[in-house]
């Protein structure tokens, strides 16, 4: 009876003698588990705490007990893991890159411990090897017909992360090409392919959030950046800025999936409305086949004033209603 009570309530194992030889370990202390499994006491305690096999306590490691069988399964799984530092060496990348891969969920953490300066993580060896195998399976020989760049360069061009490119590759949305044996730095991608998927994903995210999107690739764009507005108006650089300042064209705040920024864009409707009612001096002189300087003098002589007095080298515009005689 005393032997049974001791085995159920004390961390004694098969190698220990109480009244009788112990046949089965039922309890472990943090200290005895540390000795048996060759693992640091702090890690044993944290594992048992995470598994709710022990409660937070200030007791010493020799007095913190937990179910030996349940603890065994957890500790054995923990022993079959690799650290961020070990993965960084194996992948030939900085440890911050490994942390970013884990943060992106490309490999699942099974342990995480944070001290005053940094976070330590572990993943299952099987999960880590599966990640490597999945990447290697998708890395084919370089295709000389297309333009390819390293992952870091493609990430800069698409304003995304290397982890996002790897995620797209694992989803078979972009192709990976291996140029040398280095695991990540030896990979290349088509930057246009990456950018295309990144932009589509951002458009979808913005649409779900009901955010106004600047999309120049839409069949019928509703917003223009300043350069596009200048081309639509066939006007000199800087004119659109003047038209915005004078509120002769309207702007709308929108999100660009390419730059991942929000800013003011010129509305197509306001540009078209302006063009409907106004004509530039350059276009007017072309239609009338009169030199621009001479055209302006004739208009001045008639008392026809421009819609606004341009600054710098901005284009001069007239109201079409005021220059009907010259409009073809």
């Amino acid at each position: 009876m005393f032997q049974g009570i001791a085995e159920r309530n004390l961390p004694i194992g098969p190698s220990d003698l109480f009244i009788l030889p112990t046949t089965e370990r039922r309890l472990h202390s943090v200290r005895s588990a540390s000795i048996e499994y060759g693992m640091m006491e702090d890690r044993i305690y944290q594992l048992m705490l995470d598994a709710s096999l022990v409660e937070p306590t200030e007791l010493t490691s020799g007095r913190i007990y937990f179910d030996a069988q349940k603890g065994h399964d957890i500790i054995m799984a923990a022993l079959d893991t690799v650290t961020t530092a070990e993965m960084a060496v194996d992948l030939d990348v900085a440890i911050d890159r490994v942390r970013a891969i884990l943060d992106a969920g490309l490999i699942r953490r099974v342990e995480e411990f944070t001290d005053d300066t940094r976070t330590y993580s572990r993943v299952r060896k099987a999960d880590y090897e599966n990640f490597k195998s999945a990447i290697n399976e998708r890395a084919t020989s370089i295709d000389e017909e297309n333009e390819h760049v390293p992952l870091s360069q493609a990430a800069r061009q698409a304003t995304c992360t290397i982890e996002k490119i790897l995620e797209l590759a694992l989803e078979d949305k972009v192709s990976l090409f291996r140029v040398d044996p280095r695991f990540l730095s030896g990979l290349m991608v088509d930057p246009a392919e990456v950018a295309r998927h990144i932009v589509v994903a951002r458009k979808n995210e913005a649409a779900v959030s009901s955010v106004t999107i600047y999309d120049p690739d839409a069949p019928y764009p509703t917003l223009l950046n300043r350069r596009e507005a200048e081309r639509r108006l066939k006007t000199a650089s800087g004119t659109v800025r003047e038209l915005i300042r004078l509120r002769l064209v309207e702007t709308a705040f929108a999100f660009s999936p390419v730059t991942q920024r929000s800013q003011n864009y010129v509305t197509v409707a306001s540009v078209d409305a302006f063009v409907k009612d106004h004509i530039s001096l350059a276009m007017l002189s072309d239609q009338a086949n009169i030199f621009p300087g001479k055209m302006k003098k004739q208009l001045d002589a008639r008392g026809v004033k421009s819609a606004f007095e341009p600054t710098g080298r901005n284009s001069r515009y007239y109201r079409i209603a005021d220059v009907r005689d010259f409009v073809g």
Side-chain angles (χ1 to χ4, degrees), residues 36 76 78 113 161 188 264 292:
E36 181 173 328
M76 291 306 296
F113 170 71
T161 63
M188 301 185 83
N264 280 318

Side-chain angles (χ1 to χ4, degrees), residues 275-317:
V275 170
K276 182 180 178 182
D277 296 330
H278 299 81
I279 186 170
S280 69
L281 177 61
M283 186 174 295
L284 183 61
S285 65
D286 283 345
Q287 290 187 13
N289 199 24
I290 300 174
F291 184 72
K294 185 176 180 180
M295 171 64 72
K296 182 178 181 303
K297 288 181 180 179
Q298 290 185 21
L299 293 172
D300 288 344
R302 293 188 183 190
V304 178
K305 295 184 178 299
S306 59
F308 60 91
E309 193 62 30
T311 59
R313 301 182 64 182
N314 297 341
S315 297
R316 184 181 296 274
Y317 278 86

Side-chain angles (χ1 to χ4, degrees), residues 63-190:
R63 297 179 62 192
I64 304 173
Y65 304 156
F66 57 88
D67 185 289
Q69 184 55 51
K70 293 179 180 177
H72 172 79
D73 296 339
I74 293 168
I75 293 171
M76 291 306 296
L79 288 172
D80 192 32
T81 58
V82 290
T83 65
T84 47
E86 291 168 338
M87 286 187 284
V89 172
D90 186 48
L91 297 177
D92 193 24
V93 296
I95 194 168
D96 285 343
R97 176 63 57 210
V98 177
R99 293 193 182 108
I101 289 173
L102 301 187
D103 289 341
L106 300 183
I107 311 175
R108 188 172 68 88
R109 285 184 174 95
V110 292
E111 287 184 58
E112 187 172 17
F113 170 71
T114 304
D115 63 13
D116 294 335
T117 58
R118 66 182 63 183
T119 298
Y120 301 89
S121 301
R122 287 178 176 268
V123 304
R124 289 190 179 90
K125 289 179 182 177
D127 292 343
Y128 174 57
E129 292 301 329
N130 287 340
F131 167 76
K132 289 177 61 180
S133 296
I135 293 296
N136 282 328
E137 286 171 3
R138 289 162 172 78
T140 60
S141 299
I142 195 72
D143 179 2
E144 299 294 345
E145 293 184 3
N146 297 317
E147 179 186 358
H148 300 97
V149 298
L151 301 185
S152 57
Q153 185 176 336
R156 286 194 299 272
Q157 291 181 13
T159 59
C160 67
T161 63
I162 290 176
E163 296 71 50
K164 184 61 181 179
I165 296 176
L166 292 175
E167 180 183 331
L168 291 172
L170 291 172
E171 294 173 352
D172 295 320
K173 293 180 179 178
V174 301
S175 301
L176 295 175
F177 301 93
R178 184 164 295 287
V179 292
D180 65 51
R182 293 174 298 168
F183 187 75
L184 291 183
S185 54
L187 294 174
M188 301 185 83
V189 292
D190 180 346

Side-chain angles (χ1 to χ4, degrees), residues 28 30-41 43-44 75-76 79 122:
H28 250 312
V30 169
R31 180 180 299 166
S32 65
S34 173
I35 294 170
E36 181 173 328
Y37 294 101
M39 188 180 289
M40 298 293 291
E41 291 182 0
R43 189 179 172 203
I44 294 280
I75 293 171
M76 291 306 296
L79 288 172
R122 287 178 176 268

